[in-house]
Amino acid sequence: MSWEGIDHALDRVRGEADRIALQCRDLDRDGRHRTVGSADLVGRTRRRWEEAEVRVHSLWTVYAALRAVVDRAADLRASADPDTPCTLTRLLDGPSVVLPGGDAPGERITLAEAIARATADYEEVTEAVSAVETAGDALRPRLAELESMWRDIGTYSDMVGIPEEAHEDLRAELSGVEETIHRDPLSLVVDGHVVTSEIERLRVLLDGTRGELRDALRMRDSYHENVERLRFAVDDVGRIVQRTRILREQVLAKVSAPAPVDVHDPVPALSAAVADLDTLRAQERWRDLGARLGVLQRAIHDATDDAREREVNLTRLLERRAELRGRLDAYRARAVRLGLTGDRRLTELHGAAHWELWRVPCDLRAATVSLAAYLRALQETSGADFPDDGTASGAWAPEGGSDGGVTR
């Protein structure tokens, strides 16, 4: 090398050595590195960390050997020995970095190889620390939520007199999750993403148990008020069912097809279930009462929704009949404006559609077909471009369609 080349190469390796020195000091000062290293790790996380510790040792070893060569080169550059350029060239370009090898001869690598190895070691260590820290950051808030739920369960259990061992299974599952998050968070990482399905499953269990106990406390302290609210809710279901049954009778008298939906009465079963609560209260089975309260509330809610849906279903049948009648009148008025009232075919088709729509009970499917036939004939006879009003398409199509959302 020329002196200019030597100075350029020496400045570059000095800068790289200083950069690696800073990285080594950063690792020593990094609180995350110390935290992870001091944890009692197991499983996949421990294996990853053991690999990282090997890389830490390698980083310091390579840096020490690298720094020794750089310092020697700097000293030689300051000397006036005529052989210095040749010696420096060998140091800067050749396998001058000797890594200790125990009893065996040490490995010899170039300065460039040493720099690359130290850089790779540092990146692997920081990546391992980051992976553990990232998994922990994602999992710790979820664990805190589970622990909060567990504390609530303990508080509610004490208040209603339920022994702690009643929730031993949940306690064991929570302990397992805690150990995994603290000691092996990387076992919950797949393809770079934290998998929380098991944590979510436990969260649902804890939340359900907490809800039951909270309901148990409500039933213990406000039994009569809660039961009264249930009875009022059941009475509301009864009123909706009664109204829907009356509506169904009206629909049956006016519409034969599609067949109107049945309307069953859930009130007797719901009332009996509410009455059974008195037995549990007499036995002071507060947790069973809390669970039964939740079940009954959901059952009443579902029964209310079902009755209202059937009411809407039945109402739509009557609305559909009125809609088809209105369309037939509109088509007839258009035929009059076009001067087609004397057309025999149109008269016959109009009469067929009118008979289908005004007969009692009315077959809405047959009426839809007849109305569509009248509309097509009117379009063909007049040559006019009528807008598509959906008479014979969509949910009420006579072929290949459904019954417009009407279920049997």
Side-chain angles (χ1 to χ4, degrees), residues 47-58:
R47 291 191 295 272
R48 179 71 183 275
W49 190 245
E50 287 174 346
E51 294 171 358
E53 289 289 82
V54 171
R55 302 300 285 266
V56 171
H57 177 72
S58 172

Side-chain angles (χ1 to χ4, degrees), residues 123-180:
E123 290 176 352
E124 175 59 29
V125 174
T126 54
E127 184 179 338
V129 172
S130 178
V132 176
E133 189 71 11
T134 299
D137 288 344
L139 293 168
R140 280 190 291 271
R142 291 178 169 85
L143 177 59
E145 181 185 14
L146 299 184
E147 291 172 339
S148 175
M149 289 181 175
W150 176 252
R151 288 192 294 271
D152 289 343
I153 288 172
T155 299
Y156 293 143
S157 295
D158 290 342
M159 295 177 72
V160 295
I162 295 176
E164 183 177 341
E165 56 269 20
H167 310 296
E168 189 57 37
D169 290 346
L170 286 177
R171 172 71 265 184
E173 286 201 51
L174 180 58
S175 296
V177 169
E178 288 174 339
E179 180 168 358
T180 298

Side-chain angles (χ1 to χ4, degrees), residues 4 54 72 74 96 112 119 125 133 136 152 168 195 210 247-248 280 296 301 347 408:
E4 182 180 358
V54 171
R72 183 185 173 199
S96 55
T119 300
V125 174
E133 189 71 11
D152 289 343
E168 189 57 37
V195 178
R210 181 176 64 174
L247 176 60
R248 185 174 187 274
L280 296 177
L296 274 172
H301 181 272
T347 301
R408 294 181 182 275

Side-chain angles (χ1 to χ4, degrees), residues 253-318:
K254 297 177 180 180
V255 177
S256 61
V261 293
D262 292 329
V263 181
H264 67 277
D265 187 2
V267 170
L270 292 173
S271 297
V274 173
D276 289 342
L277 296 177
D278 287 340
T279 302
L280 296 177
R281 178 175 181 268
Q283 299 170 353
E284 297 186 352
R285 293 165 56 184
W286 305 119
R287 183 174 183 181
D288 290 339
L289 272 170
R292 192 70 59 85
L293 173 64
V295 170
L296 274 172
Q297 287 174 331
R298 288 189 293 274
I300 293 171
H301 181 272
D302 292 343
T304 302
D305 286 348
D306 180 72
R308 285 175 175 160
E309 182 179 346
R310 292 172 187 272
E311 183 179 24
V312 169
N313 194 300
L314 292 166
T315 300
R316 284 176 179 167
L317 289 176
L318 297 180

